[in-house]
Amino acid sequence: MNFPESVKYTKDHEWIKIEGNIATIGITEFAQHELGDIVFVDIDAKGKKLEANEVFGTVEAVKTVSDLFLPVAGTITEINDSLEANPEYVNNDPYGKGWMVKMEVDQPVNEEHLMDAAAYGKLVG
Amino acid sequence: MVLNYDFSTANIIKNTHTITPPPGMLLFPFTSYTSLLTYRITTLSHYLCAIPKKINSSMKNTPFTQIHIGLGAKMAEFAGYNMPISYTGINEEHHAVRSNAGVFDVSHMGEFMIKGDKALDLIQRVTTNDASKLTAGKAQYSCLPNNEGGIVDDLLVYCIEENKTYMLVVNASNIEKDWNWISSHNTNGAEMHNISEKTGLLAVQGPHATEYMQQLTDMDITNLKYYTFTRGTFAGVENVIVSATGYTGAGGVEIYFEDKGDDAVKIWNEIMRVGAPHGLKPIGLAARDTLRLEKGFCLYGNDIDDTTSPLEAGLGWITKFTKDFTARPILEAQKAAGVQRKLVGLEMIDKGIPRHYYKIQNAAGEEIGFITSGTQAPSLGKAIGMGYVRTDAAAEGTDVFVMIRDKAVKAQVVKLPFA
């Protein structure tokens, strides 16, 4: 499975890419594979300030509903609107077109609980 | 992300709708989809019933379990069996059945043989449909009512020999319950045999299913009418029942056989040999659920259970007051008075997917019912569901609101089937 080195991972199967103040978040290759065909990404947290581990939305596959947890604290600044018409991006390109939200992260960022690709690969291996 | 499965092909929990899910929980005490990875749901550990069970060694296998594993299927425990949930993806499998053909291992289903002079009498007393109408080679959908007018199980009654030999096909998770229930009513000494463990069952469904299966037998299955069956040699195996029934609404057959020697594997391999080159695919229980839901077929444990009456569930057509059966006076009175709630089909108008236990409100904000099954419908590209609503909101075209994560999302009562 594809777990890029350029992002960090949570035990709840989100990935996060932190670039300065801004982070991009989605779900991992493993998660999309386990969920199967994604049919609905329901996020209406734009502009909301949330703590780490707070639910920022849900992702629905044909037969499952899953909460999405924010990996770090901050404010949601952007939602990937293209997922409304094309939720399958999450399956086909989870680290690219399937990204879910962008956020402004609270400083200093607490990254202690985040995993690198190797650690995450081991978790799901 | 926490995976909460709403895999609705099961009926493990009784009276599930009496359980109020904790706020914020998305999917509820649904036990039967067992995640392969228990650590993923550890944050749900306080919702005891939602914790998927690990694949464990005490699970029963069907004759095909190793084949499913070999094909790379996502496996999970269902009704105590290690079953394939999906192989290549729910949507792909769903479309294969709607447009072509697919094979489902449903060997976990239960089969009882009821024999002798008193067989029909027993079946008549415990079921709602009129089995006296059955002649050899015919089957009917029916249900076992309980003493309160609820439903012990829904089932198929096959007439093997008129007045003499019948086969009842029941839900896997109700085998023991049904056996005990029917046994307790067997006061006249009908001969009963539980042949569930040694009976294999494959459903080959889809518009081309029968055409492919015809190549494996000299029996005329092409002209089998819906809800009739024939018995003979199939794929070189003797004494196989081929029945024009199914749970997908896509046409096709169901194939019952004794699990002995290599027969089961031989039948599977032959089905794949004639079908796979034309696009027949193995289909998991997940697509079985989306297929049945599009057709508005009830799933025991979701849409019907011990607390729902057949009349509320729209099963008046299999409730025949021309004969005596368990709780007949209760159901007759209910019919005369009119039911208080009805099982209806709902199509989402606004964005959202209804799921089991979501509450339903009317425009005034009153709670008027709850969802029993819901999904994104692969054939329709829409979110659909079934649920019980107060009778005043059950008319087609009525706008209702499904409560999804504290939002009231608009839906409309529509006619069943959806597709």
Side-chain angles (χ1 to χ4, degrees):
Chain A
M1 272 190 189
N2 177 22
F3 303 126
E5 304 270 352
S6 55
V7 305
K8 293 267 176 83
Y9 300 86
T10 70
K11 63 173 177 29
D12 298 315
H13 313 284
E14 290 91 10
W15 58 262
I16 178 168
K17 185 174 192 175
I18 305 174
E19 294 161 298
N21 265 355
I22 301 297
T24 308
I25 291 151
I27 66 169
T28 68
E29 168 87 1
F30 172 82
Q32 73 76 18
H33 183 260
E34 282 300 302
L35 287 169
D37 302 320
I38 306 286
V39 293
F40 186 30
V41 181
D42 189 11
I43 304 171
D44 60 0
K46 193 168 173 177
K48 279 192 189 157
K49 186 171 164 55
L50 298 172
E51 294 300 318
N53 289 322
E54 270 200 87
V55 173
F56 68 90
T58 58
V59 56
E60 300 207 27
V62 180
K63 296 308 306 168
T64 64
V65 185
S66 305
D67 280 340
L68 297 162
F69 296 96
L70 207 61
V72 299
T75 304
I76 308 284
T77 54
E78 201 179 333
I79 294 167
N80 184 357
D81 293 329
S82 70
L83 297 182
E84 188 168 340
N86 304 98
E88 69 279 6
Y89 287 169
V90 179
N91 292 116
N92 302 338
D93 191 9
Y95 307 104
K97 284 199 290 188
W99 68 272
M100 291 178 171
V101 295
K102 288 187 194 291
M103 64 181 292
E104 205 172 292
V105 296
D106 289 353
Q107 298 293 348
V109 187
N110 179 4
E111 294 188 43
E112 266 174 32
H113 58 295
L114 301 178
M115 283 171 271
D116 62 15
Y120 181 70
K122 208 170 159 188
L123 174 74
V124 301
Chain B
M1 196 191 68
V2 171
L3 302 179
N4 300 311
Y5 286 97
D6 176 26
F7 179 69
S8 309
T9 1
N11 43 2
I12 304 294
I13 307 168
K14 290 182 198 170
N15 302 325
T16 37
H17 66 269
T18 59
I19 298 165
T20 307
M25 185 169 169
L26 301 172
L27 280 180
F28 312 90
F30 197 78
T31 56
S32 49
Y33 190 109
T34 52
S35 165
L36 302 173
L37 299 131
T38 46
Y39 62 81
R40 276 190 285 127
I41 47 73
T42 49
T43 51
L44 271 180
S45 56
H46 49 299
Y47 305 125
L48 198 61
C49 320
I51 297 176
K53 282 169 276 181
K54 235 185 188 164
I55 296 292
N56 64 60
S57 54
S58 67
M59 273 190 301
K60 292 185 216 167
N61 289 332
T62 77
F64 308 104
T65 303
Q66 289 310 318
I67 292 179
H68 307 315
I69 293 168
L71 288 168
K74 199 176 283 183
M75 303 292 290
E77 181 175 342
F78 180 79
Y81 284 84
N82 190 7
M83 298 298 289
I85 302 307
S86 73
Y87 299 81
T88 54
I90 298 179
N91 283 334
E92 188 182 327
E93 292 168 33
H94 180 108
H95 293 308
V97 174
R98 279 276 179 269
S99 64
N100 190 352
V103 56
F104 305 74
D105 174 15
V106 279
S107 301
H108 60 316
M109 300 286 287
E111 294 84 10
F112 305 152
M113 298 301 295
I114 314 284
K115 293 182 180 176
D117 295 346
K118 302 297 179 188
L120 180 61
D121 169 65
L122 173 60
I123 293 166
Q124 288 290 68
R125 284 186 289 117
V126 296
T127 64
T128 54
N129 208 340
D130 187 355
S132 73
K133 302 281 187 205
L134 291 173
T135 52
K138 289 192 171 161
Q140 73 182 188
Y141 181 54
S142 193
C143 74
L144 298 173
N146 63 24
N147 289 329
E148 292 75 43
I151 300 175
V152 177
D153 201 3
D154 61 341
L155 75 165
L156 293 183
V157 179
Y158 284 81
C159 178
I160 312 276
E161 274 179 289
E162 207 172 329
N163 283 314
K164 255 190 183 167
T165 310
Y166 296 83
M167 179 171 73
L168 309 184
V169 181
V170 304
N171 282 299
S173 30
N174 288 340
I175 293 173
E176 198 184 338
K177 175 179 133 178
D178 294 355
W179 178 261
N180 292 339
W181 178 259
I182 298 168
S183 297
S184 73
H185 287 78
N186 187 15
T187 45
N188 289 336
E191 206 183 310
M192 290 175 60
H193 302 275
N194 183 352
I195 58 165
S196 305
E197 296 278 323
K198 58 175 185 182
T199 304
L201 172 55
L202 293 173
V204 187
Q205 300 278 294
H208 295 292
T210 307
E211 173 194 325
Y212 305 150
M213 293 308 98
Q214 184 64 76
Q215 297 172 42
L216 297 177
T217 183
D218 291 335
M219 295 183 281
D220 177 10
I221 60 171
T222 305
N223 296 304
L224 266 185
K225 289 200 179 101
Y226 198 41
Y227 273 82
T228 67
F229 65 96
T230 180
R231 210 157 40 140
T233 302
F234 179 89
V237 175
E238 288 172 12
N239 202 21
V240 173
I241 288 177
V242 180
S243 163
T245 48
Y247 197 43
T248 64
V253 292
E254 293 183 300
I255 301 163
Y256 297 85
F257 47 89
E258 192 184 336
D259 175 26
K260 59 177 186 339
D262 296 332
D263 285 357
V265 173
K266 188 171 167 189
I267 290 173
W268 176 279
N269 287 342
E270 283 291 280
I271 290 171
M272 295 308 288
R273 182 182 63 79
V274 299
H278 301 286
L280 175 145
K281 289 178 187 303
I283 314 294
L285 293 181
R288 183 170 164 83
D289 192 52
T290 55
L291 287 157
R292 71 90 195 169
L293 187 48
E294 284 184 347
K295 294 294 171 186
F297 296 152
C298 287
L299 171 65
Y300 194 87
N302 277 51
D303 312 301
I304 51 176
D305 64 26
D306 293 292
T307 68
T308 63
S309 96
L311 302 176
E312 292 170 336
L315 300 178
W317 63 281
I318 57 163
T319 307
K320 303 285 169 59
F321 296 119
T322 50
K323 57 152 205 173
D324 201 20
F325 60 85
T326 320
R328 175 184 155 174
I330 294 175
L331 292 172
E332 238 174 343
Q334 196 179 83
K335 189 177 180 184
V339 293
Q340 302 292 303
R341 59 176 187 172
K342 283 185 181 171
L343 185 66
V344 297
L346 295 175
E347 199 172 285
M348 298 307 296
I349 293 173
D350 291 335
K351 192 104 178 156
I353 302 172
R355 305 284 185 183
H356 198 185
Y357 302 113
Y358 285 3
K359 287 173 178 164
I360 304 171
Q361 292 187 351
N362 62 14
E366 296 171 282
E367 191 178 323
I368 55 161
F370 64 97
I371 297 291
T372 54
S373 289
T375 190
Q376 176 76 12
S379 298
L380 304 169
K382 288 177 188 165
I384 58 170
M386 294 204 288
Y388 284 96
V389 296
R390 235 163 52 186
T391 304
D392 65 356
E396 271 168 56
T398 307
D399 282 342
V400 296
F401 296 85
V402 181
M403 301 307 293
I404 304 180
R405 298 180 278 281
D406 297 327
K407 278 183 283 188
V409 184
K410 196 174 181 180
Q412 194 171 60
V413 177
V414 297
K415 197 175 172 175
L416 294 171
F418 298 98

